Amino acid sequence: MVETGSLFGDLLVLDCASFIAGPAAATIMSDFGARVIKIEPPVTGDSYRQLIHVPGMPPAERDYFWLLDNRNKESLALDLKHPDARPVLEALIARADVFITNFPGPIREKLKLTPDDVLPLNERLVYASLTPYGEEGPEKDRTGYDATAWWARSGLMDSVRANPDTEPAISVPGMGDHPTAVALFGAIMAALYRREKTGKGGVVSTSLLANGLWSNGLWMQAVLCDADFSVRLRRGQRGALTELYKCRDGRWFMLALLNYLREWPLLANCVGRPEWVEDPRFATPEARKENTPVLLKLLEDIFVTADWPEWRERFTEAGITFGPIAQPDDHLACRQVAANNMLPEIAGGEGLRTVDSPIRLADEQKAVPRRAPTIGENTRRILSDIGLAEAEIERMIASGAAAG
């Protein structure tokens, strides 16, 4: 077996991005051992550090946002607008394998961070670009977040409603950023594979909108095929066997019985109504559809007689397809999550855990997660690594070009 976290141990990644989707792609690479240098402004750091203070965010002693998406990284506090910072940046680019940015186009041009500026410094470099709406078109320079570009703009926000009268729901922070980060990671891997063949890097990109459309792909393909979306279903109109139900303890779950022939008898027996299998109202899919309101009410009355743990056990034993409407803290003691180490412990974190990235390779062990860095925590060492003398490092810090 390969040494823990060594798969990408020879890769240097420059995370010259902000917030989530771009930086999280670098986090996935760090999970497999890549060295990731987070380049952020002195004093304030990446503006993502402030998200924890936005009203409505669950309060906590630790900045859980920063911890998740910037674990394993080194922080270089560098003012990219300062003339003394450019030689440092170029020295790092010359050594790097991957450069990730999500700065808007005008800012890239101002800071000389476009592909035309960066790639001549290192022909093997993979330049990974993340934008809200795509690299071309009238909105290519618009700013945006996953809430606006992935969730709202893609149509997901409009589609995901309990009923036609419910107002659109606000997304959870990072809900579209993390899937987009996986897409950007995949693009980077494709470019690195091409580099193995050609010896050259190049530009890869993805956008929040493209990933939102992909996530909403089934509905988008339906639109492309002229499907009729004029009718929106209300509760019960999807059928009683693919509906949400509430238990006695207030917990909700979802039935997803699509294999009617096999699962309908299982459900009837599970809820103690074996006679329903032969009941003319429910004996066939057509009959169940016609009598959906009746069956829905009968099932509602049964499910509220017991708490969720009892129903979960009964469904599992019966082999019924179901899904709990989980709450985040349900996963803390979940045996399935633990068995797959989806919430690994942070090294030296006194039991503190984090969320693992979703990619696994057989016979490859991920790096043990390390805490996220403070602003400029590694500045001095990184500057020393690229050959700056101590006096030059002190001069840069005194001038405000760097901090640490």
Side-chain angles (χ1 to χ4, degrees):
M1 183 173 289
V2 182
E3 182 183 353
T4 299
S6 66
L7 179 63
F8 297 155
D10 59 343
L11 296 180
L12 172 60
V13 179
L14 302 182
D15 172 3
C16 192
S18 63
F19 272 80
I20 306 176
T27 303
I28 299 173
M29 298 191 73
S30 78
D31 287 339
F32 288 100
R35 182 185 182 188
V36 178
I37 295 177
K38 173 75 181 178
I39 300 174
E40 54 182 330
V43 184
T44 59
D46 183 345
S47 53
Y48 186 37
R49 292 180 182 272
Q50 304 305 314
L51 186 61
I52 191 73
H53 304 300
V54 171
M57 301 304 170
E61 293 182 3
R62 297 181 177 89
D63 184 348
Y64 45 84
F65 291 133
W66 188 254
L67 182 152
L68 172 62
D69 292 310
N70 291 282
R71 61 168 179 257
N72 309 332
K73 300 180 183 180
E74 303 168 41
S75 172
L76 169 61
L78 194 65
D79 182 359
L80 296 179
K81 298 187 295 294
H82 198 290
D84 290 345
R86 186 67 188 185
V88 171
L89 180 63
E90 291 188 356
L92 287 170
I93 289 173
R95 292 165 169 78
D97 297 280
V98 180
F99 179 87
I100 300 174
T101 187
N102 63 352
F103 293 165
I107 294 180
R108 295 189 205 188
E109 292 174 3
K110 182 178 180 179
L111 297 177
K112 298 187 183 305
L113 293 178
T114 69
D116 289 341
D117 298 313
V118 171
L119 290 177
L121 304 173
N122 180 352
E123 67 172 10
R124 289 178 55 80
L125 184 74
V126 173
Y127 182 105
S129 173
L130 187 283
T131 60
Y133 302 105
E135 302 289 324
E136 305 295 337
E139 299 178 65
K140 65 183 180 65
D141 293 330
R142 278 191 59 204
T143 56
Y145 299 96
D146 71 330
T148 59
W150 183 87
W151 178 238
R153 179 65 177 277
S154 70
L156 285 166
M157 189 179 196
D158 181 68
S159 297
V160 181
R161 304 195 200 196
N163 62 65
D165 303 321
T166 305
E167 65 181 31
I170 299 298
S171 59
V172 175
M175 192 166 77
D177 283 314
H178 286 125
T180 301
V182 175
L184 187 59
F185 169 78
I188 292 168
M189 290 300 103
L192 290 174
Y193 178 72
R194 183 180 64 182
R195 189 178 76 172
E196 289 296 307
K197 294 184 173 185
T198 66
K200 295 185 178 181
V203 181
V204 299
S205 65
T206 191
S207 69
L208 291 166
L209 177 57
N211 281 272
L213 294 176
W214 181 247
S215 297
N216 198 24
L218 296 183
W219 263 196
M220 283 306 306
Q221 190 62 59
V223 170
L224 293 170
C225 294
D226 298 321
D228 181 6
F229 279 80
S230 62
V231 177
R232 292 198 180 215
L233 299 181
R234 297 179 180 275
R235 177 170 175 76
Q237 292 179 324
R238 289 183 292 269
L241 305 187
T242 54
E243 190 53 89
L244 308 179
Y245 292 96
K246 191 175 183 180
C247 303
R248 182 173 59 191
D249 57 2
R251 298 299 298 268
W252 288 80
F253 68 91
M254 179 179 185
L255 285 179
L257 277 62
L258 300 181
N259 187 344
Y260 300 135
L261 186 63
R262 186 184 73 85
E263 292 189 286
W264 165 240
L266 298 179
L267 179 64
N269 281 279
C270 178
V271 300
R273 299 292 189 274
E275 68 276 9
W276 284 357
V277 175
E278 303 298 333
D279 190 318
R281 298 174 299 171
F282 314 131
T284 66
E286 295 75 18
R288 288 192 295 273
K289 181 178 180 180
E290 183 178 345
N291 292 285
T292 290
V294 176
L295 182 56
L296 182 73
K297 182 63 168 62
L298 290 170
L299 288 172
E300 285 178 336
D301 291 344
I302 290 173
F303 290 138
V304 295
T305 63
D307 294 340
W308 168 239
E310 180 178 339
W311 285 118
R312 179 180 57 203
E313 182 176 351
R314 292 171 68 172
F315 293 154
T316 301
E317 290 179 354
I320 291 169
T321 305
F322 69 95
I325 311 303
Q327 298 172 358
D329 58 4
D330 290 344
H331 305 300
L332 300 183
C334 176
R335 291 182 296 173
Q336 185 65 24
V337 169
N340 290 278
N341 197 30
M342 295 177 184
L343 301 176
E345 287 194 11
I346 294 176
E350 300 180 344
L352 179 65
R353 290 183 283 173
T354 187
V355 184
D356 193 17
S357 52
I359 296 171
R360 300 287 179 94
L361 278 76
D363 300 324
E364 292 289 347
Q365 294 295 311
K366 289 185 176 180
V368 176
R370 305 187 308 275
R371 66 172 179 82
T374 57
I375 300 172
E377 180 177 338
N378 311 101
T379 295
R380 292 176 179 274
R381 181 166 65 82
I382 294 169
L383 296 180
S384 178
D385 287 348
I386 62 173
L388 268 66
E390 185 63 30
E392 181 64 14
I393 294 173
E394 291 296 340
R395 189 190 69 79
M396 286 195 64
I397 291 175
S399 71

